[in-house]
């Protein structure tokens, strides 16, 4: 954790990450634009403030682990890693192309620095996080596991198996963040399959529950710091985000969940980034 | 002639192998799925309580937790009945374990119809087919308790990535030696013969040996090969058998479709096509009953192997 960057600087980095997301997805011609943009502030907070990590030595043992359970928002992970210095930003334009290290969903076997896990089948990342956190705790290691979950993903039953086991083993070194953007591919989450009352569900499963505005960097960082002081329970941060955040034309529109902008649209969107 | 010493369930071999691994390697951990004693993981749990984690009846989660431990350089074992450990969890095994190529070791207990009285839901007859199509997965199906112990140890010492170890519930003849050479991916010729080859896996290896002895009385000299590693399969020993004996019968306690016999056939037809017959479950579910009676009803006894040998010999050129 460091405070190398001011909130103003972090806001600029988030804007840069959004720009990279739009460029890489429009170049690829497919990809999940909405969710990736919506998480830009969370990923900026993690890679530029919260996480103990080292782009020059990506696999050093005591690093914090970022586990992306929702592999489909890979573009925000790739953009954050490139901006943090794990690899050249020009490589972002190879997203989803044959021979790329930037697979449509993260693929560890393609050896992109900074990728902890291949993921893309929903509902699996929290179980893996439990295994990692339990391993670290058993060895009395100080590093933590930061997991990114989607809100639609919480419809998968395996998430709740994992939630039960994290509380059973008192994994206070596990901090999950739910990207609560209220939309999934078929539409509004409360219409497709309602997951509310969400905070109560996590509390009932034995978790410490925190809320924040997932598009406010100062608030995200403060919330992670509170989570890091938890002594006995795993923490879930329910982060309210807006899908497509930053591009007024697509904000909150579920049709942009899995859609790519054309190159012309991407240019317009980048100009309108706020 | 091959003699059995006594009857022991192969799961006992798994339990002993795991305990021995635990002594040798402190990175070995075990995850329990509520039926810890039934799958003989209790030996490890009692010896190394600090390395045993109970996770309850939640197999999908267990696979992910195992993958998480493996990401932190541990070698996790989990075992439950094969219908759950291999089939309920297939997507988790495919993505979290195999795609990440992690050293998760999966025990498939209570495999085959010889599970007996519990009936169809608990008799895994599809697990070989499913596990062997997953990239990076090693599939091991040892023939008796002694070999299961060696296979369990080899799944760590000879396999870097994921491994699936299939074993049974019922006490079965124990006939291999503690001092045998056990090499992953290498079949074992147990009986010499040049008229026909019976290639078997798991419990069916003993039935194949009995069939060969019976056939010998009628001057049919059957070679018997034990394939304990279904993937990677020993192509060399299979091609040699096809060339030298000109006919093959496979035997497995598993569905014929997509299973062990199919794996052998893939090697045979691509390299040296010869007539084949397949002994196994024929596209149906099992039922409750005594193991022995079920094996008779569903035609997975030495007698059925002998009948198949006679059929295939008629087709042999």
């Amino acid at each position: 954790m460091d405070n190398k960057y001011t909130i103003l600087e972090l806001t600029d980095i988030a804007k840069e990450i959004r720009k990279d997301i739009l460029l890489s997805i429009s170049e690829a011609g497919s990809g999940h634009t909405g969710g990736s943009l919506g998480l830009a502030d969370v990923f900026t907070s993690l890679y530029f403030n919260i996480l103990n990590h080292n782009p020059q030595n990506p696999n050093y043992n005591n690093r914090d682990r970022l586990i992306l359970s929702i592999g489909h928002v890979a573009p925000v992970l790739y953009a954050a890693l490139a901006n943090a210095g794990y690899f050249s930003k020009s490589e972002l334009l190879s997203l989803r192309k044959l021979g790329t290290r930037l697979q449509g969903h993260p693929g560890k076997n393609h050896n992109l620095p900074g990728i902890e896990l291949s993921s893309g089948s929903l509902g699996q990342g929290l179980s893996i996080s439990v295994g990692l956190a339990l391993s670290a705790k058993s060895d009395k290691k100080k590093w933590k596991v930061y997991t990114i979950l989607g809100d639609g993903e919480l419809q998968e039953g395996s998430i709740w198996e994992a939630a039960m086991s994290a509380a059973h083993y008192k994994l206070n070194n596990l901090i999950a963040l739910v990207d609560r953007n209220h939309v999934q591919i078929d539409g509004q989450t409360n219409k497709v399959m309602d997951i509310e009352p969400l905070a109560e569900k996590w509390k009932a499963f034995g978790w410490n529950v925190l809320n924040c505005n997932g598009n406010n960097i100062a608030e995200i960082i403060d919330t992670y710091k509170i989570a890091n002081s938890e002594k006995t329970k795993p923490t879930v941060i329910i982060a309210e985000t807006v899908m497509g955040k930053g591009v007024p034309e697509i904000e909150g529109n579920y049709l942009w969940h899995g859609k790519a902008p054309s190159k012309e649209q991407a240019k317009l969107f980048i100009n309108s980034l706020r | 002639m091959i003699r059995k010493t006594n009857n022991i369930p192969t799961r006992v071999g798994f339990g002993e192998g795991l305990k021995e691994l635990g002594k040798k390697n402190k990175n070995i951990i075990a995850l329990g799925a509520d039926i810890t004693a039934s799958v003989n993981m209790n030996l490890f749990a009692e010896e190394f309580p600090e390395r045993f984690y109970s996770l309850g009846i939640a197999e999908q989660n267990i696979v992910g937790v195992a993958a998480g431990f493996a990401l932190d350089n541990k070698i996790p074992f989990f075992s439950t009945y094969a219908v759950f450990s291999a089939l309920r969890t297939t997507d988790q095994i495919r993505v979290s374990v195999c795609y990440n190529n992690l050293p998760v070791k999966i025990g498939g207990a209570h495999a085959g119809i010889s599970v007996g009285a519990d009936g169809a839901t608990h008799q895994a007859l599809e697990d070989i087919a499913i596990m062997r199509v997953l990239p990076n997965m090693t599939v091991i199906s040892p023939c008796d308790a002694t070999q299961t112990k060696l296979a369990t140890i080899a799944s760590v010492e000879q396999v870097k990535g994921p491994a699936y170890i299939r074993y049974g519930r019922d006490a079965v003849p124990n006939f291999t030696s503690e001092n045998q050479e056990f090499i992953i991916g290498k079949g074992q010729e147990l009986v010499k013969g040049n008229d026909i080859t019976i290639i078997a896996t798991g419990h069916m290896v003993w039935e194949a040996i009995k069939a060969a002895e019976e056939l010998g009385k009628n001057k049919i000299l059957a070679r018997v090969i034990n394939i304990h590693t279904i993937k990677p399969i020993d192509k060399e020993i299979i091609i040699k058998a096809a060339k030298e004996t000109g006919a093959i019968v496979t035997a497995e306690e598993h569905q014929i479709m997509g299973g062990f016999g199919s794996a052998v056939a893939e090697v045979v037809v691509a390299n040296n096509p010869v007539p084949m017959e397949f002994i196994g479950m024929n596209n149906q579910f099992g039922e409750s009953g005594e193991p022995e009676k079920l094996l008779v009803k569903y035609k997975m006894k030495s007698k059925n192997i002998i009948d198949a040998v006679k059929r295939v010999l008629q087709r042999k050129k």
Side-chain angles (χ1 to χ4, degrees), chain B residues 41-54:
Chain B
M41 209 179 239
N42 55 323
L43 288 178
F44 182 95
E46 286 154 15
E47 187 85 9
F48 311 104
E50 74 290 352
R51 283 192 267 148
F52 173 80
Y53 302 88
S54 169

Side-chain angles (χ1 to χ4, degrees), chain B:
Chain B
M1 193 183 279
I2 295 170
R3 296 271 173 225
K4 65 171 181 174
T5 51
N6 49 357
N7 285 2
I8 314 174
T10 49
R11 56 183 162 150
V12 169
F14 174 79
E16 289 175 357
L18 181 57
K19 185 177 161 183
E20 192 163 319
L21 276 171
K23 284 180 192 161
K24 288 163 102 172
N25 186 337
K26 63 178 174 26
N27 284 327
I28 305 280
I29 62 143
L31 308 175
D34 196 45
I35 47 174
T36 305
S38 178
V39 300
N40 288 58
M41 209 179 239
N42 55 323
L43 288 178
F44 182 95
E46 286 154 15
E47 187 85 9
F48 311 104
E50 74 290 352
R51 283 192 267 148
F52 173 80
Y53 302 88
S54 169
L55 285 157
I57 310 165
E59 296 83 5
Q60 298 176 81
N61 184 48
I62 292 176
V63 175
V65 172
F69 270 107
L71 278 174
D72 193 31
N73 302 315
K74 305 294 197 311
I75 302 170
F77 273 78
F78 84 91
S79 179
T80 176
Y81 300 153
V83 285
F84 311 128
S85 68
L87 303 179
R88 187 191 196 96
T89 54
T90 303
D91 182 40
Q92 280 77 18
I93 293 175
R94 176 177 180 266
V95 178
S96 288
V97 176
C98 289
Y99 187 37
N100 282 289
N101 200 11
L102 296 170
V104 172
K105 314 298 175 182
I106 303 165
H110 283 44
I113 201 161
S114 58
V115 166
D118 278 341
T121 55
H122 283 55
Q123 295 160 346
L125 294 164
E126 303 81 13
D127 54 316
I128 292 174
I130 300 297
M131 289 297 102
R132 82 178 185 93
V133 296
L134 297 173
N136 295 334
M137 180 65 90
T138 293
V139 180
I140 316 171
S141 166
C143 65
D144 69 358
T146 300
Q147 190 163 83
T148 305
K149 180 181 174 182
L150 299 178
T152 304
I153 294 166
S155 77
V156 171
E157 297 184 347
Q158 297 182 36
V159 182
K160 274 189 179 168
Y164 178 72
I165 308 148
R166 183 181 209 249
Y167 55 95
R169 174 186 185 278
D170 204 30
V172 292
N174 199 49
F175 57 94
T176 65
S177 157
E178 284 268 1
N179 302 318
Q180 69 185 285
E181 186 181 55
F182 186 91
I183 299 172
I184 292 289
K186 201 154 169 47
Q188 299 171 325
E189 185 178 305
L190 300 181
V191 180
K192 291 189 190 312
N194 280 328
D195 295 335
I196 160 87
T197 306
I198 306 166
I199 308 183
T201 195
H203 291 172
M204 294 302 289
V205 174
W206 180 250
E207 296 297 324
I209 292 167
K210 284 199 296 179
E213 283 174 8
E214 204 56 35
L215 286 161
K217 293 175 189 166
N218 294 318
K219 305 251 180 312
I220 298 170
L221 299 180
R223 184 178 299 184
V224 176
I225 292 171
N226 168 27
I227 295 284
H228 52 65
T229 311
I230 298 174
K231 186 186 175 187
I233 202 160
D234 186 347
K235 290 183 183 171
E236 205 178 313
I237 204 170
I238 293 170
I239 295 167
K240 187 166 175 275
K243 284 183 179 160
E244 292 176 0
T245 72
I248 291 171
V249 171
T250 62
E252 65 200 291
E253 220 189 296
H254 182 275
Q255 301 286 354
I256 291 171
M257 283 185 193
F260 167 68
S262 301
V264 173
E266 286 163 13
V267 177
V268 172
V269 297
N271 294 284
N272 193 80
V274 296
M276 287 184 70
E277 290 280 334
F278 304 89
I279 294 296
M281 200 68 175
N282 193 7
N283 194 28
Q284 56 193 325
F285 286 105
E287 61 183 300
S288 291
E290 294 158 33
E292 197 57 25
K293 288 182 179 171
L294 287 166
L295 289 163
V296 169
K297 175 170 179 181
Y298 290 97
K299 299 187 167 58
M300 286 178 273
K301 293 296 292 177
S302 59
K303 175 191 173 299
N304 309 110
I305 296 175
I306 291 167
D307 291 346
V309 165
K310 289 175 180 165
R311 285 197 303 274
V312 84
L313 283 176
Q314 285 175 4
R315 292 163 54 208
K316 182 179 164 182
K317 281 171 190 158

Side-chain angles (χ1 to χ4, degrees), chain A residues 26-255:
Chain A
S26 63
E27 179 70 27
S30 68
H32 294 260
T33 309
S36 300
L37 289 170
L39 279 168
D41 304 304
V42 168
F43 275 75
T44 301
S45 305
L46 283 166
Y47 279 94
F48 294 87
N49 185 287
I50 297 295
L51 291 179
N52 286 310
H53 69 122
N54 182 356
Q56 272 69 53
N57 185 14
N59 297 322
Y60 81 99
N61 192 265
N62 288 326
R63 72 193 184 279
D64 290 328
R65 268 62 161 183
L66 186 287
I67 295 297
L68 181 64
S69 190
I70 41 173
H72 61 270
V73 297
V76 68
L77 173 63
Y78 299 150
L81 289 172
N83 278 283
Y86 281 87
F87 52 89
S88 156
K89 281 182 65 165
S90 61
E91 192 171 351
L92 290 172
L93 296 179
S94 72
L95 177 69
R96 288 180 168 244
K97 291 181 178 168
L98 186 63
T100 186
R101 299 198 290 179
L102 282 66
Q103 295 288 300
H105 295 80
K108 206 173 148 67
N109 54 331
H110 294 269
N111 299 318
L112 188 70
I115 299 293
E116 297 284 0
L117 177 76
S118 306
S119 62
S121 178
L122 296 178
Q124 299 190 21
L126 194 58
S127 299
I128 287 166
S129 306
V130 169
L132 273 167
L134 197 46
S135 185
K137 213 174 168 65
S138 303
D139 292 347
K140 300 190 169 53
K141 295 275 177 65
K142 296 273 185 261
W143 52 268
K144 298 193 177 210
V145 183
Y146 294 87
T147 308
I148 306 294
L149 304 170
D151 53 358
E153 183 185 25
L154 304 183
Q155 291 157 359
E156 295 277 10
S158 53
I159 290 287
W160 302 100
E161 292 184 4
M164 201 185 292
S165 63
H168 179 85
Y169 283 105
K170 301 184 171 55
L171 300 179
N172 65 319
N173 55 345
L174 167 55
I175 300 158
L177 180 140
V178 175
D179 177 23
R180 186 68 174 117
N181 60 21
H182 298 268
V183 285
Q184 56 193 109
I185 292 180
D186 266 1
Q188 298 290 325
T189 299
N190 63 356
K191 298 262 171 51
V192 179
M193 181 50 66
D194 201 359
I195 57 173
E196 292 290 347
L198 194 52
E200 286 81 350
K201 280 193 177 79
W202 286 101
K203 275 179 201 152
F205 273 78
W207 284 58
N208 174 37
V209 182
L210 302 173
N211 294 279
C212 78
N213 176 348
N215 292 124
N216 180 316
I217 291 172
E219 218 178 285
I220 296 165
I221 290 171
D222 285 347
T223 310
Y224 269 121
K225 285 180 178 167
I226 295 168
N228 275 328
S229 64
E230 169 61 39
K231 296 283 183 260
T232 58
K233 295 175 180 174
T235 293
V236 61
I237 299 171
I238 300 174
E240 291 285 335
T241 64
V242 174
M243 175 169 284
K245 180 71 183 180
V247 179
E249 292 93 326
I250 70 173
E251 278 183 9
N253 183 349
Y254 75 87
L255 294 174

